[in-house]
Amino acid sequence: MIGSVVVTGAAGGIGQAIVETLKNNHLKVVAVDLSPKLAELEDVAPVQVDLTTDEGVAAVAAAAGAAGAPGWVLVNNAGTTRKAAIGNCSHETSGKELKS
């Protein structure tokens, strides 16, 4: 049995649509995003964190555990893109892209 669904990148676009669909199907949602827009979502357990840090990952795990039932599902929708030709990207930018 699914207890809750953790959705990363939940504050906008595809992530927000996923959150709304899950809520419409009566599932508990732990909504995760770095954006302050996360506060605009209703009827979710919001977790505003940076998932590229150990602390952020730990906060999401704690929120998922606190959401109730023993089982949970992860919808890993978080990510970033930078519009640039690959030859114009620095090593640092490319590394951030892959880490996101």
Side-chain angles (χ1 to χ4, degrees):
M1 179 171 138
I2 298 173
S4 59
V5 180
V6 176
V7 180
T8 65
I14 293 170
Q16 188 172 358
I18 292 168
V19 167
E20 293 303 321
T21 299
L22 294 169
K23 288 183 348 183
N24 289 340
N25 284 283
H26 310 288
L27 291 166
K28 293 179 183 178
V29 177
V30 177
V32 181
D33 208 297
L34 185 58
S35 171
K37 289 183 179 182
L38 188 64
E40 298 171 12
L41 298 178
E42 297 178 1
D43 301 321
V44 300
V47 183
Q48 185 179 349
V49 294
D50 181 350
L51 287 174
T52 65
T53 67
D54 291 340
E55 295 81 8
V57 173
V60 172
W72 53 277
V73 171
L74 171 64
V75 178
N76 195 12
N77 177 65
T80 61
T81 59
R82 290 166 181 83
K83 294 181 181 177
I86 192 71
N88 295 334
C89 289
S90 69
H91 180 70
E92 179 184 358
T93 300
S94 298
K96 286 180 183 177
E97 196 67 31
L98 292 172
K99 188 175 180 182
S100 297

